[in-house]
Every structure is written in C-alpha cells, then in structure tokens.
Amino acid sequence: MTRPGTARQEADPASAVTPTETVPIGVAPRRVAGPYRWWDRVLVSDPGLGQLQAGWRTLVTMVTSLAVGYGLSHALTVPPMIGMMVGGMMGLMNGFAVTGNSWDKIAKSSLWMPFPYTLVLWVAASLSGHRTLELGLNVVALALTFLLARFGQLALLTGMMMFNGLMVGTIAGIPTAMVGKAFVIALVSAAAVLAARLLLCYPMPREDLLRTQRAFVVEARRLVDITVDALDPDASPKRVERRTNRSLRRLNLVTLTIDARLAQPEAATDPVVAELLHRHLFDAELALRGISQAVQVLNTQSPPEELRQCLAVGLLLARDTPPAEAGGLRPAVRTIREQADAILHNPQAAAHDAESAALVRRVAELLESLADSLSGWLALGLRTPGTPAAVPFEPAVALENDRIPGSAAPMRRVLTARTQSGWQRVVPFVRAPLHAGVAAAIACPIADAIDPRRFYWGLVGVMITLFGTNTTHERLRKFAHRMIGTAAGAIIGVLLLHWIGRDHVYWTLTVIVLGLAFGSWGMQRAYALWTTGLVVALVQLYGLTTPDSRMDHLLGERLLDNGIGILAAAACAALIFPLSTRSIAREAEHGYVVAVQNLLTQVSARWAEPDSPVRLRGAARAVDVALFQVAEVSRPLVRMPIGVRGRGPLNRMALLTTATGHARALASAADIDIDLSPRLSERLQLVTHTFTDSLRALDHHLVNGTAQGTWRPVGPMVRELRALVRPASPGPRAQRLQTALRELEALDTALAAFAEKSGLPVAPGTGRDAGRPCPAQRPAPAPAADALAAGRGGTRLVRTPSAQVAVAVGPGTAGPATGTARTEGAAEAHLAGSVSCAAHPDGCPGVRITVINSRGQRVAQTHADAGRYRLGLRPGSHTLVVAAADHPPRAQSVTIHAAQADVRLDIRL
C-alpha cells in the first residue's frame, strides 16, 4: 500500500530520499546482487532450485538407505536383497514424501515411517498363501491412502507406507520371523537417512527465497537483452514476439513463486518487509513489461537510426548494470532522454519521428522506475514503515509440492459447491478413495492374470493417475507421459544393462540411484522424465533375476499393466461423482472474475478513503494467480495448429491475458492519494460500482449458465470523467489518476469482449455497430508504461559519466560515417585493445563487450581474454558497451573510417 504522504513526496521530488541515502553499499545479499555467473541459467529454469534439490535429496537418501540396509543385512543375517529393499524404501519415501522447512517436521515424519511400514509387513507375512485376501488388502490399502490424504501430510505418509509395506510384503514373501529384524533395519535406515538429510540437505527457506529473487534479476536481464534484439530493423517480428512472451511468462512465474515463498513463515519472519519486497518486485515486473511492449511498438514505427542506437545502448547498459549499483542506470536514462528531447524540441521534426521520440522517452522513464524499484529492494535491510497504516504481507498464492497450484483449487471449489447438503457432504472425503478402490479392483485381477509376481504394476498405474490430477485432460496427458517415459526408460535401461553387465553390483546400484535422482529432478518439469529415470533403475533391478530373452516381454507387461491401471483410474474418475473439465474451467473463470472484482473494490476504497489499509498490488497478484489457474485448466489435450483447432478458447484466453495486464497497471497507477471534489468523487464511485455490477452479472452467468443482467460498459463514463479531472486537478497525481482511468477503461473493454464471448449480453455504449465492444477498436493504453512513468519521480540516481572516443584510421580518410553501418561487401577493420581498472591494471577479468552500430543493431559480441579483446568491425559509427564483474557498464563510442586496418582502443573502467 502507498502510505499517506507517499504521493505527496512523489508530487514534490525535492522531499524524496535519494538512493545514495537509502542504499548503502553492501546492503543487498550477495546471493542476489553478486556478479553474473554461468549457473544463473539454471536458476531461471528452476527458481529456488526446487527441482535440483529434489534430485539431490533423493540421491542422498537412496545412497544412505541402501548402504545401511546392506550393512544391517549382514549384521542381522538377513538376505541382502531384503535388507536393501526395506532400507531403500525408507530412503525413497523420505526423498519423495517427507517435506518441510524445519528440522522437527522432517524428523517427526522420517522416524514415524518404519512403524506403519513394518506393521503391514507383518500382516502381509501372516497372510502368505491367501492370494485373494492379499490382493484385496492391497486394493483397500490404496483406497485408504487416498482417504488419509485429506487429513494432512503425516496421515498421507502413513497411508503410503502401509500401501508400500503390503505391496513389498506380498512381492518379497518375507516370513513372520524376519519382520522384527526388518523393523530394526527400517528404523535404523530411517534414522540414518534423517541424519544424512539434515547434514547434506538441511532446509534453508531463506536461501531458497534469495535464489528465487536472483532468478527474477537474471530473467529481467534476459528480457532486456531480448528487447535489444527487437530493436534490430532486420529482426523477425514474430520471433521477437515469441521470445518476449516466453520471457514474460517466466518472469511472471518467478514473481508468483517469490510471493508464495514469502508466505512461508520460515522464509520471511517480518511481514512488513515481505510486503515491501512484494511491492518492489511487482513494480519492477511492471516496468519490464512496459519496456518490452514499448520497444515492440517502436520497432513498427521506423524510428530515426540515432534514436534506435541510443536506445539499444541504454538497454545494454541496463542489462549489464549490477543489481547492487542500480544508480548506474542513470547514464543510460540521461542519454536516451537527451536524444528523445532533441527530436521532440525540434519544430522541423517529422510527426512520426516525434511519436517515436515520445515512446523512447517513456522507455527512459520506465528504466528509471526500474532502478527505483531495485534500489528500494536493496534498501529493505534498513527500511521499516513509519506509520500504523502499513499493511503486513498477505500471500495471494501458496506453493503445493513446491509448485504453484493449477487446477486443484478450482476443482475443490466445484466439488464443495456441489456437496453442501445432506449425504453429499461426505462426497469430498470418499470421492478419491472410491476412484482408487474401484479402479484398483478392476486393474489388480487383470494385472495378476498377466503376471502374478508383478500385479502391483496395475496398482501403481492407478495411484499415479489419481495423485496430482484433477481433470480428464490431465489424466490422459499423464497416461501419455507414462507410456512415453516407460518406452524411453526401457530402451536406455537395456542399453545400460548390456554395457555394464549383470555381475557388477556396485555399478548396477549406481545406475539405480542416479536413475531415481534424475527422475526426482525431472518430476516437476515433465512427468515423462520421472518415468524414464524410474524405468532405467528398474531395468537394472530386473536384470539381476531376468534373462535377456525375457526382458522385452517383461517390459512389455509393465507397459500394459500401467496402461490398464491408468485407463481404469481415468474411467472411474469420469464415472463416479464426475466433475467435467468444462465445469472446472468455468469455476476457474469464476475465480478470475472474483479476483478482478476484489481489485476494483480495493481501488474504490483506496480512492474514497486514502488511509484505508488496502493492498492493490496484492489484489493484482491474485488476478495473476487466477489467470494461471484458468490457463492450466484450459490447456488442450493435444496442442494443434491454430488453423486446425477452434479459435474460441484461444481468443478467450487472450482476452483474459490482456485484461490481466491492464489489472496490473491499474493496481500500480491507482495506488495514490487523490483529492477530488465531492461531485468528481461521486462520478468516480459510480464508475467502479457500475463495473462491479457488470462483473457480478458475468459471474452469475459463468456459475449458473444463465444470463441475469447485462454487461454495461463504463467507457463513456470514464472518458467523461477524464475530461473533467484534467483541468480540475493538475499535477503528477492527476497524471496518475488519468493513467488509472485509462487502464480502467481498457480493462472494461477487454472483459466486455470476454463476457460477449461467454454469452453474456453487452449493453450498447461502446464499440461498433450495435455498440458491442470490439477488441480491435479498444483504446490503446500503455499498460505498464503510463502506470509507472506518470508519478515515480521522487528519487534521483547517481550520475556517472560515459566516454565517447572517435578513432580515425589512416591519413586522408573521410569523416565519420553516417547512416547505416552495415555496408554490404565492405571489408572489416580489426578493433583491439585492453580493458583494465584500478584493481586490475593488467586487465580486468570477466569482461564482455557488445557492439551496437548506428542502426541500433547488435553487430558483435565478445569476451576479453586476460583483459584483452579483438573483434572485426565494418567502417562506420559504433558504440561499445563494456561490462565486467563488480563494475558498472560503460558505453564507449568509436568511429572507424577505413577498412583493413588495425584500430587500438584501451578502456579504463
């Protein structure tokens, strides 16, 4: 929330605090603000390193449990295979099912596992020879696991250990007299696994949060780099758009993950600091979105080449500026503004050049806003709120299994809404157990008839299908992943088996452990990766007892049994207390509309009562989460080309994505104190109330499938209000209000089009023909640009000079080349030199040099070797952007007048 008085500081820049006063050197954690390293790419693909940690955790627990099980089998005179099977199960389940951010939670779960496990081992040993009863108990145990899942993690772990114990006891045939020794092996293995995990995999949620923040910084850097490519006049617009959208999606996913990690009490103990971090990251993401959108628009306008070049250089400086030195962005901002102002103040400038210059100046303002947001984050270590109106952090999303939840929340809401009376109240508790029990009762006899020794494959197929899936599409996709992963794992596993052989036990165990670790790492990325790793491990295990002649038949049986179990589970879920994918998708859209409605309610409260404790950015983040859920539920079973599949779902999703962008910008722009006359305040409240009423009508239509009311566009009222506000309240706050009203109108237009696509009547008042909204004719707001460029002038960044050097080569050469620098057929000149600093007079380490020509194209990029560089350039004007570890980047201009000559340029950082 913007505290009372914040807006007044923005209106009066002189009263603002400069970053040099609030951001002392060394405040930022080095894990976030340190120099860029090659492993930053891993952080972007795995924010917080959750996937790598899962693989490492499985590797540690499996190695420990197998070693302890093997050693105890000799000490207790138990067959080594039994000892390793019992101990290995402790390690496998500890790596997969025991989670938590504190050691006591991990210890309680780890030490509890041996008790239910050995209890059902004894039951299985007592029932040896009663085949029907054994199979029936396995079916009951699987259903019980799904029932216990509703009562917390420890209950779920208990059910899983009981199911695994029955399955292992039935397969291995452990005698009753050996159960006591098996309990000792299980208990000691669990204790050893706990000790190894606390030693090598100790939970560090604060470190995970810092890594996730680092991932945000790195992805932001990548996005800025993509915008430089977008400025290239020869770049493919479609390719640039795809890369930009992909980077924006990753950036948004990282920010959602950060918010979810802030919700963990072990990660951020101070809720006020967590709220400040949430705010700054929200604003930084908004600025980056605005920069990318503005550059894409600019590239369609054919701007002057000098404008394109200075913008490309400025973006490269922003890319290479260390996070701890956000003030280093100031030279880039100043250079861009000077070039843009030169065109804007030139009365002879063409209209399209002036339009491009205005857009470039907006990018400069967004870069300054980005620097402000990063500086604010760096100052979090010393800043605390000074007013009781500060709002503690309230998360909009919570991680489930270290992932942002998708279809689970809409599915639970649909199920709860349908089972609120009478006997149906028990349905949420028995639905999943019934699915599992009936599907297991179908698949188990079929799998037993195919191969009695490996009947459990059918049960495993049932279990994996129902865990973590909520729609038919998700179950069928999991079926495809299971089949593909099984086939790939079989091929790789057989090749490794032939290569290693059957007589090298330690190599076989190594492949088993590495296969499971690889599967654990890939489970959250793609389920097929987990299946591949699992089957590779199982093939090595099967190779100890199965000859080559039967291996293909054995793997075929596994594929068949798994398929039977998966299809049986999918059929039972579709027939017993069914929830259609369409109803869950409608519920996800309902959740989205409710999130937008909550945002508008908070906007109205913020404008009516400036001191009200509202969280506009938190409300906008909830809209982000709702959009993520809609996207997950609406994913098609098979992705087809646009010309093959219908455009309806694609258009609806595009409209919601557009609306979400306007919602973010509205939340940022509306978070301002406003002083309006009572008449204007009433008009403002009328706009928000009308918009809210339209959202209620759309919500009723989505929930009940019947139209009750219409969508009443607020565009005409907003435009009238903007005309009244402009002369009534001039100044920065009025500009922010104008931006908020533009975003409000754009949000209304996008959602009106969505309502029309959903079948809700739209009242006349905007658009074409009958007054219906048309996305192609909606206003052209700048979602992030106006929201951040209109009122963030409160801070000033440190100025550092940049150098310009012109190098003339050879006597009698012509003056500096103008126009295009890429001369077809022209030979190159070799530019070489050194890059040094006061600390490294013989050459700075880790230097990267990027060359931009006069058209704004990136024509060369190289790394300095021992502080020296050499590259080839065509004649013309170029700008070198030099970046090195622990140094702010530097822009160096150079003009080459002739080809086939050596040019030397030494750079001092």
Side-chain angles (χ1 to χ4, degrees), residues 282-298:
F282 183 93
D283 290 343
E285 182 195 6
L286 202 59
L288 289 165
R289 286 181 175 275
I291 291 170
S292 64
Q293 292 167 1
V295 169
Q296 289 186 64
V297 174
L298 181 69

Side-chain angles (χ1 to χ4, degrees), residues 831-845:
L831 178 66
S834 64
V835 181
S836 60
C837 64
H840 304 90
D842 296 330
C844 239

Side-chain angles (χ1 to χ4, degrees), residues 108-109 112 148 151-159:
K108 181 170 63 175
S109 299
W112 168 246
L148 293 176
F151 299 99
Q153 180 185 354
L154 191 60
L156 171 62
L157 184 62
T158 301

Side-chain angles (χ1 to χ4, degrees), residues 806-810 812-818 829 874-878 894-899 901 903:
V807 181
V809 182
T813 55
T818 58
R874 299 184 187 278
S877 298
H878 306 276
V894 59
T895 301
I896 297 178
H897 300 300
V903 181

Side-chain angles (χ1 to χ4, degrees), residues 12 50 173 428 464 611 638 838:
D12 183 11
I464 61 99
D611 293 336
V638 179

Side-chain angles (χ1 to χ4, degrees), residues 53 100-104 106 197-198 201-206 208:
Q53 287 177 2
N101 284 333
S102 60
W103 70 269
D104 54 334
I106 297 175
R197 183 166 172 179
L198 293 180
C201 313
Y202 194 84
M204 294 183 289
R206 179 60 182 168
D208 294 340

